[in-house]
Amino acid sequence: MRVLAGIILCFLVGQGFTFCNVPLGMMFGALFTVITLKRVGISVASMPGSITVIQLSLGISIGMMFRDFSYGEHHQLRLFFALLLLCLSLQFTLSYFWCVRRLGWSKEEALLGAVPGAMAAVLALASHIKTPPQKIVISHSLRLITLTFLAGYFTRGASTDVLASTPAVFFSGHNLLWLAGMVVAGYITGKFLARLHFPAPYMITSLICAAALHTLSSQPLTFPDLFNQLSMVLMGIVLGHHFTTFSMAEFGRHLWSSVQLVLIGVGVTVFMASITARLLDYPFPVLMLSWVPGSVESMSFAALALKADASFVMANHIIRMLLIHTVPAMVLFRKRQMRVD
């Protein structure tokens, strides 16, 4: 009952943040609630298995996006994705070596801190290293906040009427049956990977299962927004607990490190997007939204609000997330196996 009361309170505060047009208000509202109540001696309990629920929710919602892409509209699609890989490589490499050589982080901390985005996966991966993840959480939280507001800057004054055309089939029998199949398939296969101590197992398996099963459905499916909101509330609670475990002095120290990593990531994106926009005559704002290491949901929303090519933006972010979900997980998994051997 105490856990449920905390989730409901955080959900209501998140709704208030959303009503006030705060980007990702559900997550930041829960985060604000946990931190504020902790300062007055009240602890908001987290739900057991929160990370699993977050992984399943985000994995399915992202995997289902594959069905709606129109790849054929881009004659230079391979070149764009090659440049995306180059941008990701530069973001990760520069951030990694900066963390190791300038900030004095361990190689495992630098690996997670340098990952360009996907905070849910990073949190799951962080649980597999022995050092506290405070600096990693602060780094990715600041990056998420900064880039979310950056997306808001690009879409200021843009119309959002396109979102009203979403079909109201959230809870139809056909939709729920297929969603249940995705959840079961993602959970079972993820549980198998979890037994192998594979980091972020449910995120990877649910994404793959959703992408595969959605193509078998006779009609497009819709992931209920309520589940996404709940997962963002749970994410905010988890982040809030991480923020309340260290002092303001530690926060200030890690905050400066995080600012440096944000500047590196955004700087590389601006550099690559500006050059590509000039060479290939493609809109700079769309390339920024496609390659910046932010939330796929917020960047896709920004593309819709701009009435830009949302499928191109989502395709870039899904490929980015596929890479950063699997590559760091495989590296840490390989390190774990080498230690056992």
Side-chain angles (χ1 to χ4, degrees):
M1 184 62 68
R2 183 166 170 263
V3 173
L4 180 60
I7 293 176
I8 293 176
L9 177 60
C10 291
F11 189 91
L12 293 176
V13 176
Q15 287 285 356
F17 274 53
T18 302
F19 180 78
C20 296
N21 296 320
V22 176
L24 294 179
M26 299 302 294
M27 185 187 74
F28 292 131
L31 175 64
F32 173 81
T33 302
V34 172
I35 295 176
T36 302
L37 292 181
K38 184 66 174 181
R39 299 303 178 189
V40 297
I42 302 175
S43 178
V44 178
S46 60
M47 185 184 75
S50 292
I51 292 296
T52 300
V53 174
I54 294 170
Q55 288 184 27
L56 288 172
S57 176
L58 294 182
I60 291 174
S61 63
I62 294 168
M64 289 174 62
M65 294 178 183
F66 276 104
R67 181 180 178 118
D68 299 325
F69 293 149
S70 54
Y71 297 103
E73 296 179 0
H74 299 279
H75 301 292
Q76 299 175 306
L77 191 61
R78 293 182 180 179
L79 178 58
F80 276 118
F81 286 160
L83 292 171
L84 166 65
L85 294 179
L86 176 60
C87 184
L88 284 175
S89 300
L90 289 175
Q91 290 170 347
F92 177 80
T93 302
L94 292 178
S95 297
Y96 177 83
F97 284 107
W98 188 268
C99 288
V100 173
R101 297 183 179 180
R102 301 289 297 182
L103 303 180
W105 292 14
S106 69
K107 292 183 178 180
E108 288 185 331
E109 290 174 338
L111 175 66
L112 296 178
V115 171
M119 185 162 55
V122 170
L123 282 177
L125 291 171
S127 64
H128 290 264
I129 63 176
K130 297 180 179 180
T131 54
Q134 288 92 340
K135 62 180 70 174
I136 298 169
V137 173
I138 295 175
S139 172
H140 283 275
S141 297
L142 182 63
R143 178 158 48 196
L144 177 60
I145 294 171
T146 303
L147 297 180
T148 299
F149 279 99
L150 177 65
Y153 169 78
F154 277 119
T155 59
R156 64 191 187 282
S159 172
T160 59
D161 292 340
V162 67
L163 298 180
S165 62
T166 302
V169 295
F170 288 161
F171 298 103
S172 68
H174 177 85
N175 196 68
L176 287 179
L177 182 63
W178 280 95
L179 288 180
M182 294 176 186
V183 171
V184 171
Y187 180 78
I188 292 177
T189 52
K191 200 170 185 63
F192 173 75
L193 287 185
R195 290 180 178 177
L196 298 177
H197 303 288
F198 199 90
Y202 302 101
M203 175 79 74
I204 298 172
T205 56
S206 61
L207 190 151
I208 295 174
C209 290
L213 293 177
H214 197 189
T215 59
L216 301 179
S217 173
S218 60
Q219 63 188 46
L221 305 174
T222 302
F223 192 74
D225 186 60
L226 178 64
F227 292 167
N228 280 326
Q229 292 183 21
L230 176 60
S231 68
M232 296 309 292
V233 169
L234 295 178
M235 172 73 79
I237 294 175
V238 171
L239 289 176
H241 283 291
H242 284 298
F243 270 106
T244 57
T245 58
F246 46 85
S247 64
M248 292 302 296
E250 290 177 311
F251 179 80
R253 176 159 47 89
H254 295 321
L255 183 62
W256 171 235
S257 301
S258 302
V259 169
Q260 297 176 56
L261 294 179
V262 171
L263 291 176
I264 291 174
V266 174
V268 170
T269 307
V270 171
F271 174 76
M272 289 294 301
S274 60
I275 291 180
T276 304
R278 290 176 177 271
L279 294 179
L280 301 181
D281 192 25
Y282 202 74
F284 172 78
V286 176
L287 290 173
M288 277 292 297
L289 293 175
S290 300
W291 293 350
V292 74
S295 164
V296 62
E297 292 86 3
S298 59
M299 299 307 155
S300 298
F301 169 81
L304 288 172
L306 283 171
K307 296 183 179 180
D309 194 344
S311 65
F312 177 75
V313 174
M314 289 193 299
N316 277 273
H317 279 285
I318 288 177
I319 290 177
R320 174 181 66 85
M321 295 186 75
L322 279 172
L323 291 173
I324 63 182
H325 285 165
T326 55
V327 173
M330 293 176 65
V331 170
L332 292 181
F333 177 72
R334 179 57 181 169
K335 286 186 176 181
R336 179 182 291 273
Q337 292 297 105
M338 293 176 62
R339 290 172 182 172
V340 173
D341 296 339

